[in-house]
Amino acid sequence: MNRIVVYFFLFLLSQPTFPSHAQQNKIDSLEKQLANMPADTNRVILLNKLTYQYFTWGTDTSKTKSYAQQCLQLAHQLRYNYGIGQAYTALGNYYYSRNQNPEALKQYEMALPFYQRAGRKRGLAVIYSNIASVTEYMGNYTKAMEYYLKSTRIAEELDDKGAIGRNLSAIGLLRLSQKKYEDALRYLFQALSVHKSNQDNIMKAHTLNTIGEVYLQRKQYDKALQYLNQSLLLGDSLGLAQGKIDCYNSLGHVYSCLKQYDQAFNFYQNALVLAEPQGHYQSMSIALEGMAEVYQEKGDLTKAVVYFKRSLELAETNKLAQQKLEAHQGLTAAYAQLKDYYQAYFHQSKLLSLKDSLYNHENDQKIAQLEASYEIDKKQVEIELLHKDQQRALLFRNAILMGLLGTLVIIGLIVNRQRLKNRKNRLLLEKSEEITTKNTQLELQAEVMSKQADELAISNAQLAQQASQLQKFDRVKSNFFTNISHEFRTPLTLIITPLEKLMSDTLNNSQIQKHYQLIDWNARHLLYLINQLLDFSKLEAGSLKVQLIRSDVNQSLKVATYAFASLAESKNIQLHFQSGYQTIHALFAPDILDKILNNLLSNAFKFTPPGGQVKVGINLQHTPDSTTKLGDQITNWNLEITVTDTGIGIPAGQIGHIFNRFFQVDGSQIREQQGTGIGLSLVKELLALQQGSILVKSEVGSGTEFTVYLPLVECNFEINHSTEQSKAESGYILLNQEENTQQELESLPVQTEPNEHYPVMLLIEDNDEVRKFILESFQDEFQVVEASNGTEGLKIARKVIPDIILTDRMMANMDGMEVCRQLKTDERTSHIPVIMLTAKASEESKIEGLETGADDYILKPFRMQELKVRVKNLIEQRKKLRERFTREVKIQPRDIAITSADEAFLNKAIRLIEEHMSDTDFTVETFVQKIALSRVQLHRKLKALTNQSTSEFIRSIRLKRAAVLLEQQYGNIAEVMYEVGFNNKSYFANNFRKMFGVNPSDYHSYITQAGRIDTTEKAE
């Protein structure tokens, strides 16, 4: 009897009985991401990942179908061909796993054209393999071989070793189904070699199982057992449920052939028990056939018929062609032995019909033709490559011959010319001797004149060099002042204009507050522009690097546009921002984009008269065939920004020069504006740095339109379906948010009189004025301890063990970096949060500071309210971690500590207590001595990490261990009490009740009841 299992070669070849803890965590993480994911292509990708996780690792198969249907619906809405193909594939997987083969084949065939439209060859290779698996399952071996070979060709083009190995395994299994054992072994051993090189243990396990099946069919039982046991051992270590089932069935067949029927029956029964809950009908059918065969061999023909019929029923219901054949074969033999010849003849006729369809000669010929066609295609490719190599060699040889011939011709021409030249020289020599005397006189005169000319040339060269140096100096000086004036003009305008309105004394309190906020923002922007001057010099030197940040391009452009709202109002110019997108999330350089838009808007306002309009429009262009790269990533979206004004316009003859450095458009109206001449040049250079471009259209008297094209990386967007907000609603979003933040910060609770219960702050700052300012700001909420340098601060930190440390970075003697490094590597101080204050604004400096262990990094000048919020957040964070320690019964140090040093300390402390758990004489003094800290240091560190004193910490660890022992029913109350180091029953009971809210005697039932309630809530 054949024991052939058609494996499911789709993504993985088996499913574990239950998901591992790690895989369940991954599913939970993906579902949390899905809750906040917008309806874009990223959501399609995430839904597809969830269908794959539930199909491969999950126990709830309905989730596979649900997520696949959601994925299909959204992909159709977005017209995302690749996502549609993946969704149909996932639905096919779902139906295949439930043995609904016709429906699975339908879904796979629907996925095929979408992979073709998307041009995804890897997806085509997978779907061809899936179609082959289903058709093989349904008994159409010729079509299965055709699609396996199609999949293999694509996998070879892509050099996808994993796909090649899976297809070789599948073809080997197919040839085994047709009893072509030599072909099957050839394909399977090729596949096994590929799986070993790829370290694909899952496929290796299944291929070993199939090789064992081949040797079983050939009655080489020793080799069959060897490979089947290897497969079972490897599959068991990987948690492959299907692989385990298949091995049990195969081993049952081997032992049945060896006439060890009891052992064979046990293997078949184990396979049936594993396969039945998971609905693996083919495996169930095989197990039932094996059990029937055992009863048949033992002479119990009645039970044999029952099991054969159960197997046949499963095979017919689920269209399992091979199992139907084997069930009819078994029933034919059983009824013949029972002398029920009518039933025997009936099943014999069914058997012959099935054999004709599965093993006819025509199928063998078609498969042989397919294999020959595949080999011919490979040979044809090799012949074409060889022919091309020969053509290249011939061309190379001809080129060498032509080169040699040309060289010979050139040499002949040179020799002939030299011969003619020598003849002419002889004639000239004869004539030259006649005028030698006259030439001598002329040469003397020429020498005198040559000396005079040389002296004059040297003098002229010196003058030219001096003039060039002066011009270069003037140009550098002019460039310097021009760049500064241009870069400062925009933010100064946005500061001066609100100030003029404030000085007019016509504003109400709300308006005054908004203008102060605008002045504040632009003053900070001016500081930002000063830092950008350094970037300008890097741009000139070609060393400015683009720093891409993932953010909302739409929001950034909106904020930058409405920063000109006050200027527009003061000049009576209408400002509009038009975008059809809710969000545009992408990788881009916000600072560079801000500089580009600021320059274009500044020019627009400069040349637009009162009563005019300035518009900023946003659009996206899809460029799927783009080869433009930003960094190492190809961009396939272009951001289109249009800045349109109704100003005076630019003459047509001068448009081609406006992007030249220092060029200014002629005309009295334009010259009155006193433009700097570098803004548009700077815009063009910044765009070129990002592979972007800029176009301009202008008409004198009508206005100008600049269009910027900027490539985007990893672009995702949402269309804005709502009506456009008015300028008043959208223009002051940033200011309103700032105002709300200001009010939130000012509403923080402030204590007026510090006392010993306040947290301790260590302030390390070498500037007396800064240190005094910060001290005065925090003295109402903290006990502030001062240190004027790093060395002093480190000593105080180790002695006092403060709750938080503020340190300057640049200090004499010992800088803040070294202070932070020593604090975070010292067991006594590693838990203390550190905020580093610095004037170094570079990204590298910030990363370096955080790498030393600093918990936060704030640039000078800073806002005091921001510093207070960050200090408060760090204190609250540590407080929550302490509360978590005291709340949870089973706690791991890695769940509490912030640094590895803290984790090591808590591990050490808990280990010491556990080593002396039953020692009633293990006191605080013993603990202090063994942990090698002073009593004060240990107290403050434990208080900071766990909110417990030393004695409370020891007692809590003992009580938590007692709770665990009671939950596990370790013994009676007295035994548990002595086990955790208590010797007074009432003292133990009182402390246990305070910590857990119940008496020790009631704890086990309390925990059991809580577990049942929790399980019920989850089920609901």
Side-chain angles (χ1 to χ4, degrees), residues 277-297:
Q278 301 183 49
H280 292 309
Y281 301 119
Q282 185 180 24
S283 301
M284 291 167 61
S285 177
I286 291 171
L288 289 167
E289 288 172 24
M291 295 165 76
E293 185 180 44
V294 170
Y295 280 123
Q296 188 176 24
E297 292 294 335

mmCIF file with all atom_site columns, all heavy atoms in Angstrom, residues 277-297:
data_model
loop_
_atom_site.group_PDB
_atom_site.id
_atom_site.type_symbol
_atom_site.label_atom_id
_atom_site.label_alt_id
_atom_site.label_comp_id
_atom_site.label_asym_id
_atom_site.label_entity_id
_atom_site.label_seq_id
_atom_site.pdbx_PDB_ins_code
_atom_site.Cartn_x
_atom_site.Cartn_y
_atom_site.Cartn_z
_atom_site.occupancy
_atom_site.B_iso_or_equiv
_atom_site.pdbx_formal_charge
_atom_site.auth_seq_id
_atom_site.auth_comp_id
_atom_site.auth_asym_id
_atom_site.auth_atom_id
_atom_site.pdbx_PDB_model_num
ATOM 1   N N   . PRO A 1 277 ? -7.795  16.734  15.260 1.00 0.00 ? 277 PRO A N   1
ATOM 2   C CA  . PRO A 1 277 ? -8.208  18.076  15.725 1.00 0.00 ? 277 PRO A CA  1
ATOM 3   C C   . PRO A 1 277 ? -7.871  19.177  14.732 1.00 0.00 ? 277 PRO A C   1
ATOM 4   O O   . PRO A 1 277 ? -8.509  20.221  14.723 1.00 0.00 ? 277 PRO A O   1
ATOM 5   C CB  . PRO A 1 277 ? -7.398  18.256  17.033 1.00 0.00 ? 277 PRO A CB  1
ATOM 6   C CG  . PRO A 1 277 ? -6.939  16.891  17.411 1.00 0.00 ? 277 PRO A CG  1
ATOM 7   C CD  . PRO A 1 277 ? -6.801  16.127  16.157 1.00 0.00 ? 277 PRO A CD  1
ATOM 8   N N   . GLN A 1 278 ? -6.854  18.961  13.905 1.00 0.00 ? 278 GLN A N   1
ATOM 9   C CA  . GLN A 1 278 ? -6.422  20.010  12.987 1.00 0.00 ? 278 GLN A CA  1
ATOM 10  C C   . GLN A 1 278 ? -7.062  19.880  11.611 1.00 0.00 ? 278 GLN A C   1
ATOM 11  O O   . GLN A 1 278 ? -6.805  20.700  10.726 1.00 0.00 ? 278 GLN A O   1
ATOM 12  C CB  . GLN A 1 278 ? -4.892  19.985  12.833 1.00 0.00 ? 278 GLN A CB  1
ATOM 13  C CG  . GLN A 1 278 ? -4.181  20.195  14.172 1.00 0.00 ? 278 GLN A CG  1
ATOM 14  C CD  . GLN A 1 278 ? -2.680  20.256  14.015 1.00 0.00 ? 278 GLN A CD  1
ATOM 15  O OE1 . GLN A 1 278 ? -2.181  20.976  13.173 1.00 0.00 ? 278 GLN A OE1 1
ATOM 16  N NE2 . GLN A 1 278 ? -1.970  19.503  14.817 1.00 0.00 ? 278 GLN A NE2 1
ATOM 17  N N   . GLY A 1 279 ? -7.884  18.838  11.394 1.00 0.00 ? 279 GLY A N   1
ATOM 18  C CA  . GLY A 1 279 ? -8.575  18.675  10.124 1.00 0.00 ? 279 GLY A CA  1
ATOM 19  C C   . GLY A 1 279 ? -7.674  18.287  8.979  1.00 0.00 ? 279 GLY A C   1
ATOM 20  O O   . GLY A 1 279 ? -7.941  18.656  7.836  1.00 0.00 ? 279 GLY A O   1
ATOM 21  N N   . HIS A 1 280 ? -6.582  17.554  9.239  1.00 0.00 ? 280 HIS A N   1
ATOM 22  C CA  . HIS A 1 280 ? -5.687  17.084  8.174  1.00 0.00 ? 280 HIS A CA  1
ATOM 23  C C   . HIS A 1 280 ? -6.266  15.776  7.606  1.00 0.00 ? 280 HIS A C   1
ATOM 24  O O   . HIS A 1 280 ? -5.884  14.669  7.995  1.00 0.00 ? 280 HIS A O   1
ATOM 25  C CB  . HIS A 1 280 ? -4.278  16.852  8.724  1.00 0.00 ? 280 HIS A CB  1
ATOM 26  C CG  . HIS A 1 280 ? -3.602  18.104  9.130  1.00 0.00 ? 280 HIS A CG  1
ATOM 27  N ND1 . HIS A 1 280 ? -3.500  19.200  8.307  1.00 0.00 ? 280 HIS A ND1 1
ATOM 28  C CD2 . HIS A 1 280 ? -2.955  18.453  10.279 1.00 0.00 ? 280 HIS A CD2 1
ATOM 29  C CE1 . HIS A 1 280 ? -2.848  20.169  8.913  1.00 0.00 ? 280 HIS A CE1 1
ATOM 30  N NE2 . HIS A 1 280 ? -2.512  19.750  10.116 1.00 0.00 ? 280 HIS A NE2 1
ATOM 31  N N   . TYR A 1 281 ? -7.211  15.918  6.667  1.00 0.00 ? 281 TYR A N   1
ATOM 32  C CA  . TYR A 1 281 ? -8.001  14.778  6.227  1.00 0.00 ? 281 TYR A CA  1
ATOM 33  C C   . TYR A 1 281 ? -7.174  13.742  5.476  1.00 0.00 ? 281 TYR A C   1
ATOM 34  O O   . TYR A 1 281 ? -7.429  12.542  5.562  1.00 0.00 ? 281 TYR A O   1
ATOM 35  C CB  . TYR A 1 281 ? -9.160  15.271  5.357  1.00 0.00 ? 281 TYR A CB  1
ATOM 36  C CG  . TYR A 1 281 ? -10.055 16.222  6.077  1.00 0.00 ? 281 TYR A CG  1
ATOM 37  C CD1 . TYR A 1 281 ? -10.234 17.536  5.629  1.00 0.00 ? 281 TYR A CD1 1
ATOM 38  C CD2 . TYR A 1 281 ? -10.733 15.833  7.246  1.00 0.00 ? 281 TYR A CD2 1
ATOM 39  C CE1 . TYR A 1 281 ? -11.044 18.426  6.307  1.00 0.00 ? 281 TYR A CE1 1
ATOM 40  C CE2 . TYR A 1 281 ? -11.553 16.718  7.925  1.00 0.00 ? 281 TYR A CE2 1
ATOM 41  C CZ  . TYR A 1 281 ? -11.693 18.005  7.452  1.00 0.00 ? 281 TYR A CZ  1
ATOM 42  O OH  . TYR A 1 281 ? -12.487 18.875  8.123  1.00 0.00 ? 281 TYR A OH  1
ATOM 43  N N   . GLN A 1 282 ? -6.201  14.177  4.699  1.00 0.00 ? 282 GLN A N   1
ATOM 44  C CA  . GLN A 1 282 ? -5.385  13.215  3.964  1.00 0.00 ? 282 GLN A CA  1
ATOM 45  C C   . GLN A 1 282 ? -4.599  12.335  4.940  1.00 0.00 ? 282 GLN A C   1
ATOM 46  O O   . GLN A 1 282 ? -4.530  11.112  4.786  1.00 0.00 ? 282 GLN A O   1
ATOM 47  C CB  . GLN A 1 282 ? -4.434  13.946  3.014  1.00 0.00 ? 282 GLN A CB  1
ATOM 48  C CG  . GLN A 1 282 ? -3.652  12.987  2.132  1.00 0.00 ? 282 GLN A CG  1
ATOM 49  C CD  . GLN A 1 282 ? -2.706  13.717  1.203  1.00 0.00 ? 282 GLN A CD  1
ATOM 50  O OE1 . GLN A 1 282 ? -2.316  14.817  1.493  1.00 0.00 ? 282 GLN A OE1 1
ATOM 51  N NE2 . GLN A 1 282 ? -2.347  13.082  0.104  1.00 0.00 ? 282 GLN A NE2 1
ATOM 52  N N   . SER A 1 283 ? -3.995  12.974  5.952  1.00 0.00 ? 283 SER A N   1
ATOM 53  C CA  . SER A 1 283 ? -3.245  12.212  6.946  1.00 0.00 ? 283 SER A CA  1
ATOM 54  C C   . SER A 1 283 ? -4.161  11.271  7.724  1.00 0.00 ? 283 SER A C   1
ATOM 55  O O   . SER A 1 283 ? -3.789  10.131  8.051  1.00 0.00 ? 283 SER A O   1
ATOM 56  C CB  . SER A 1 283 ? -2.535  13.167  7.908  1.00 0.00 ? 283 SER A CB  1
ATOM 57  O OG  . SER A 1 283 ? -1.657  14.000  7.212  1.00 0.00 ? 283 SER A OG  1
ATOM 58  N N   . MET A 1 284 ? -5.395  11.735  8.033  1.00 0.00 ? 284 MET A N   1
ATOM 59  C CA  . MET A 1 284 ? -6.358  10.876  8.720  1.00 0.00 ? 284 MET A CA  1
ATOM 60  C C   . MET A 1 284 ? -6.712  9.668   7.848  1.00 0.00 ? 284 MET A C   1
ATOM 61  O O   . MET A 1 284 ? -6.808  8.520   8.331  1.00 0.00 ? 284 MET A O   1
ATOM 62  C CB  . MET A 1 284 ? -7.621  11.670  9.053  1.00 0.00 ? 284 MET A CB  1
ATOM 63  C CG  . MET A 1 284 ? -7.410  12.751  10.124 1.00 0.00 ? 284 MET A CG  1
ATOM 64  S SD  . MET A 1 284 ? -8.809  13.886  10.205 1.00 0.00 ? 284 MET A SD  1
ATOM 65  C CE  . MET A 1 284 ? -10.134 12.742  10.657 1.00 0.00 ? 284 MET A CE  1
ATOM 66  N N   . SER A 1 285 ? -6.901  9.914   6.542  1.00 0.00 ? 285 SER A N   1
ATOM 67  C CA  . SER A 1 285 ? -7.256  8.828   5.629  1.00 0.00 ? 285 SER A CA  1
ATOM 68  C C   . SER A 1 285 ? -6.155  7.784   5.569  1.00 0.00 ? 285 SER A C   1
ATOM 69  O O   . SER A 1 285 ? -6.409  6.574   5.599  1.00 0.00 ? 285 SER A O   1
ATOM 70  C CB  . SER A 1 285 ? -7.524  9.401   4.239  1.00 0.00 ? 285 SER A CB  1
ATOM 71  O OG  . SER A 1 285 ? -7.797  8.368   3.322  1.00 0.00 ? 285 SER A OG  1
ATOM 72  N N   . ILE A 1 286 ? -4.892  8.253   5.515  1.00 0.00 ? 286 ILE A N   1
ATOM 73  C CA  . ILE A 1 286 ? -3.751  7.327   5.468  1.00 0.00 ? 286 ILE A CA  1
ATOM 74  C C   . ILE A 1 286 ? -3.681  6.506   6.752  1.00 0.00 ? 286 ILE A C   1
ATOM 75  O O   . ILE A 1 286 ? -3.448  5.281   6.725  1.00 0.00 ? 286 ILE A O   1
ATOM 76  C CB  . ILE A 1 286 ? -2.457  8.111   5.238  1.00 0.00 ? 286 ILE A CB  1
ATOM 77  C CG1 . ILE A 1 286 ? -2.446  8.697   3.831  1.00 0.00 ? 286 ILE A CG1 1
ATOM 78  C CG2 . ILE A 1 286 ? -1.231  7.218   5.432  1.00 0.00 ? 286 ILE A CG2 1
ATOM 79  C CD1 . ILE A 1 286 ? -1.321  9.659   3.568  1.00 0.00 ? 286 ILE A CD1 1
ATOM 80  N N   . ALA A 1 287 ? -3.876  7.167   7.917  1.00 0.00 ? 287 ALA A N   1
ATOM 81  C CA  . ALA A 1 287 ? -3.807  6.461   9.198  1.00 0.00 ? 287 ALA A CA  1
ATOM 82  C C   . ALA A 1 287 ? -4.899  5.386   9.294  1.00 0.00 ? 287 ALA A C   1
ATOM 83  O O   . ALA A 1 287 ? -4.666  4.259   9.745  1.00 0.00 ? 287 ALA A O   1
ATOM 84  C CB  . ALA A 1 287 ? -3.925  7.443   10.343 1.00 0.00 ? 287 ALA A CB  1
ATOM 85  N N   . LEU A 1 288 ? -6.106  5.750   8.842  1.00 0.00 ? 288 LEU A N   1
ATOM 86  C CA  . LEU A 1 288 ? -7.212  4.789   8.880  1.00 0.00 ? 288 LEU A CA  1
ATOM 87  C C   . LEU A 1 288 ? -6.927  3.590   7.963  1.00 0.00 ? 288 LEU A C   1
ATOM 88  O O   . LEU A 1 288 ? -7.228  2.430   8.290  1.00 0.00 ? 288 LEU A O   1
ATOM 89  C CB  . LEU A 1 288 ? -8.510  5.484   8.465  1.00 0.00 ? 288 LEU A CB  1
ATOM 90  C CG  . LEU A 1 288 ? -9.071  6.484   9.490  1.00 0.00 ? 288 LEU A CG  1
ATOM 91  C CD1 . LEU A 1 288 ? -10.157 7.338   8.862  1.00 0.00 ? 288 LEU A CD1 1
ATOM 92  C CD2 . LEU A 1 288 ? -9.606  5.750   10.717 1.00 0.00 ? 288 LEU A CD2 1
ATOM 93  N N   . GLU A 1 289 ? -6.352  3.831   6.773  1.00 0.00 ? 289 GLU A N   1
ATOM 94  C CA  . GLU A 1 289 ? -5.995  2.732   5.873  1.00 0.00 ? 289 GLU A CA  1
ATOM 95  C C   . GLU A 1 289 ? -4.975  1.812   6.541  1.00 0.00 ? 289 GLU A C   1
ATOM 96  O O   . GLU A 1 289 ? -5.053  0.577   6.444  1.00 0.00 ? 289 GLU A O   1
ATOM 97  C CB  . GLU A 1 289 ? -5.401  3.290   4.575  1.00 0.00 ? 289 GLU A CB  1
ATOM 98  C CG  . GLU A 1 289 ? -6.409  3.948   3.675  1.00 0.00 ? 289 GLU A CG  1
ATOM 99  C CD  . GLU A 1 289 ? -5.723  4.643   2.509  1.00 0.00 ? 289 GLU A CD  1
ATOM 100 O OE1 . GLU A 1 289 ? -4.602  4.241   2.162  1.00 0.00 ? 289 GLU A OE1 1
ATOM 101 O OE2 . GLU A 1 289 ? -6.311  5.598   1.963  1.00 0.00 ? 289 GLU A OE2 1
ATOM 102 N N   . GLY A 1 290 ? -3.974  2.427   7.205  1.00 0.00 ? 290 GLY A N   1
ATOM 103 C CA  . GLY A 1 290 ? -2.952  1.624   7.865  1.00 0.00 ? 290 GLY A CA  1
ATOM 104 C C   . GLY A 1 290 ? -3.542  0.756   8.964  1.00 0.00 ? 290 GLY A C   1
ATOM 105 O O   . GLY A 1 290 ? -3.182  -0.432  9.116  1.00 0.00 ? 290 GLY A O   1
ATOM 106 N N   . MET A 1 291 ? -4.436  1.341   9.775  1.00 0.00 ? 291 MET A N   1
ATOM 107 C CA  . MET A 1 291 ? -5.059  0.577   10.852 1.00 0.00 ? 291 MET A CA  1
ATOM 108 C C   . MET A 1 291 ? -5.912  -0.557  10.269 1.00 0.00 ? 291 MET A C   1
ATOM 109 O O   . MET A 1 291 ? -5.953  -1.686  10.794 1.00 0.00 ? 291 MET A O   1
ATOM 110 C CB  . MET A 1 291 ? -5.901  1.515   11.719 1.00 0.00 ? 291 MET A CB  1
ATOM 111 C CG  . MET A 1 291 ? -5.040  2.557   12.459 1.00 0.00 ? 291 MET A CG  1
ATOM 112 S SD  . MET A 1 291 ? -5.994  3.929   13.133 1.00 0.00 ? 291 MET A SD  1
ATOM 113 C CE  . MET A 1 291 ? -6.730  3.113   14.554 1.00 0.00 ? 291 MET A CE  1
ATOM 114 N N   . ALA A 1 292 ? -6.592  -0.273  9.128  1.00 0.00 ? 292 ALA A N   1
ATOM 115 C CA  . ALA A 1 292 ? -7.390  -1.310  8.474  1.00 0.00 ? 292 ALA A CA  1
ATOM 116 C C   . ALA A 1 292 ? -6.490  -2.438  7.983  1.00 0.00 ? 292 ALA A C   1
ATOM 117 O O   . ALA A 1 292 ? -6.821  -3.634  8.107  1.00 0.00 ? 292 ALA A O   1
ATOM 118 C CB  . ALA A 1 292 ? -8.159  -0.702  7.301  1.00 0.00 ? 292 ALA A CB  1
ATOM 119 N N   . GLU A 1 293 ? -5.333  -2.090  7.426  1.00 0.00 ? 293 GLU A N   1
ATOM 120 C CA  . GLU A 1 293 ? -4.407  -3.090  6.917  1.00 0.00 ? 293 GLU A CA  1
ATOM 121 C C   . GLU A 1 293 ? -3.898  -3.986  8.059  1.00 0.00 ? 293 GLU A C   1
ATOM 122 O O   . GLU A 1 293 ? -3.735  -5.209  7.895  1.00 0.00 ? 293 GLU A O   1
ATOM 123 C CB  . GLU A 1 293 ? -3.242  -2.430  6.203  1.00 0.00 ? 293 GLU A CB  1
ATOM 124 C CG  . GLU A 1 293 ? -2.302  -3.413  5.543  1.00 0.00 ? 293 GLU A CG  1
ATOM 125 C CD  . GLU A 1 293 ? -1.154  -2.711  4.853  1.00 0.00 ? 293 GLU A CD  1
ATOM 126 O OE1 . GLU A 1 293 ? -0.602  -1.788  5.464  1.00 0.00 ? 293 GLU A OE1 1
ATOM 127 O OE2 . GLU A 1 293 ? -0.833  -3.081  3.728  1.00 0.00 ? 293 GLU A OE2 1
ATOM 128 N N   . VAL A 1 294 ? -3.636  -3.365  9.258  1.00 0.00 ? 294 VAL A N   1
ATOM 129 C CA  . VAL A 1 294 ? -3.177  -4.152  10.409 1.00 0.00 ? 294 VAL A CA  1
ATOM 130 C C   . VAL A 1 294 ? -4.248  -5.180  10.813 1.00 0.00 ? 294 VAL A C   1
ATOM 131 O O   . VAL A 1 294 ? -3.963  -6.363  11.052 1.00 0.00 ? 294 VAL A O   1
ATOM 132 C CB  . VAL A 1 294 ? -2.827  -3.223  11.584 1.00 0.00 ? 294 VAL A CB  1
ATOM 133 C CG1 . VAL A 1 294 ? -2.580  -4.036  12.854 1.00 0.00 ? 294 VAL A CG1 1
ATOM 134 C CG2 . VAL A 1 294 ? -1.590  -2.392  11.260 1.00 0.00 ? 294 VAL A CG2 1
ATOM 135 N N   . TYR A 1 295 ? -5.537  -4.713  10.884 1.00 0.00 ? 295 TYR A N   1
ATOM 136 C CA  . TYR A 1 295 ? -6.614  -5.640  11.225 1.00 0.00 ? 295 TYR A CA  1
ATOM 137 C C   . TYR A 1 295 ? -6.726  -6.743  10.171 1.00 0.00 ? 295 TYR A C   1
ATOM 138 O O   . TYR A 1 295 ? -7.002  -7.919  10.479 1.00 0.00 ? 295 TYR A O   1
ATOM 139 C CB  . TYR A 1 295 ? -7.940  -4.883  11.336 1.00 0.00 ? 295 TYR A CB  1
ATOM 140 C CG  . TYR A 1 295 ? -8.115  -4.174  12.651 1.00 0.00 ? 295 TYR A CG  1
ATOM 141 C CD1 . TYR A 1 295 ? -8.341  -2.796  12.722 1.00 0.00 ? 295 TYR A CD1 1
ATOM 142 C CD2 . TYR A 1 295 ? -8.065  -4.891  13.863 1.00 0.00 ? 295 TYR A CD2 1
ATOM 143 C CE1 . TYR A 1 295 ? -8.500  -2.145  13.918 1.00 0.00 ? 295 TYR A CE1 1
ATOM 144 C CE2 . TYR A 1 295 ? -8.231  -4.244  15.067 1.00 0.00 ? 295 TYR A CE2 1
ATOM 145 C CZ  . TYR A 1 295 ? -8.441  -2.885  15.109 1.00 0.00 ? 295 TYR A CZ  1
ATOM 146 O OH  . TYR A 1 295 ? -8.602  -2.241  16.301 1.00 0.00 ? 295 TYR A OH  1
ATOM 147 N N   . GLN A 1 296 ? -6.497  -6.372  8.897  1.00 0.00 ? 296 GLN A N   1
ATOM 148 C CA  . GLN A 1 296 ? -6.592  -7.343  7.815  1.00 0.00 ? 296 GLN A CA  1
ATOM 149 C C   . GLN A 1 296 ? -5.509  -8.419  7.968  1.00 0.00 ? 296 GLN A C   1
ATOM 150 O O   . GLN A 1 296 ? -5.774  -9.610  7.807  1.00 0.00 ? 296 GLN A O   1
ATOM 151 C CB  . GLN A 1 296 ? -6.464  -6.625  6.467  1.00 0.00 ? 296 GLN A CB  1
ATOM 152 C CG  . GLN A 1 296 ? -6.740  -7.505  5.260  1.00 0.00 ? 296 GLN A CG  1
ATOM 153 C CD  . GLN A 1 296 ? -6.687  -6.686  3.980  1.00 0.00 ? 296 GLN A CD  1
ATOM 154 O OE1 . GLN A 1 296 ? -6.060  -5.648  3.930  1.00 0.00 ? 296 GLN A OE1 1
ATOM 155 N NE2 . GLN A 1 296 ? -7.364  -7.170  2.948  1.00 0.00 ? 296 GLN A NE2 1
ATOM 156 N N   . GLU A 1 297 ? -4.279  -7.966  8.292  1.00 0.00 ? 297 GLU A N   1
ATOM 157 C CA  . GLU A 1 297 ? -3.174  -8.910  8.445  1.00 0.00 ? 297 GLU A CA  1
ATOM 158 C C   . GLU A 1 297 ? -3.379  -9.805  9.670  1.00 0.00 ? 297 GLU A C   1
ATOM 159 O O   . GLU A 1 297 ? -2.933  -10.952 9.696  1.00 0.00 ? 297 GLU A O   1
ATOM 160 C CB  . GLU A 1 297 ? -1.856  -8.150  8.565  1.00 0.00 ? 297 GLU A CB  1
ATOM 161 C CG  . GLU A 1 297 ? -1.418  -7.423  7.306  1.00 0.00 ? 297 GLU A CG  1
ATOM 162 C CD  . GLU A 1 297 ? -1.079  -8.369  6.173  1.00 0.00 ? 297 GLU A CD  1
ATOM 163 O OE1 . GLU A 1 297 ? -0.727  -9.538  6.474  1.00 0.00 ? 297 GLU A OE1 1
ATOM 164 O OE2 . GLU A 1 297 ? -1.184  -7.980  4.999  1.00 0.00 ? 297 GLU A OE2 1
#
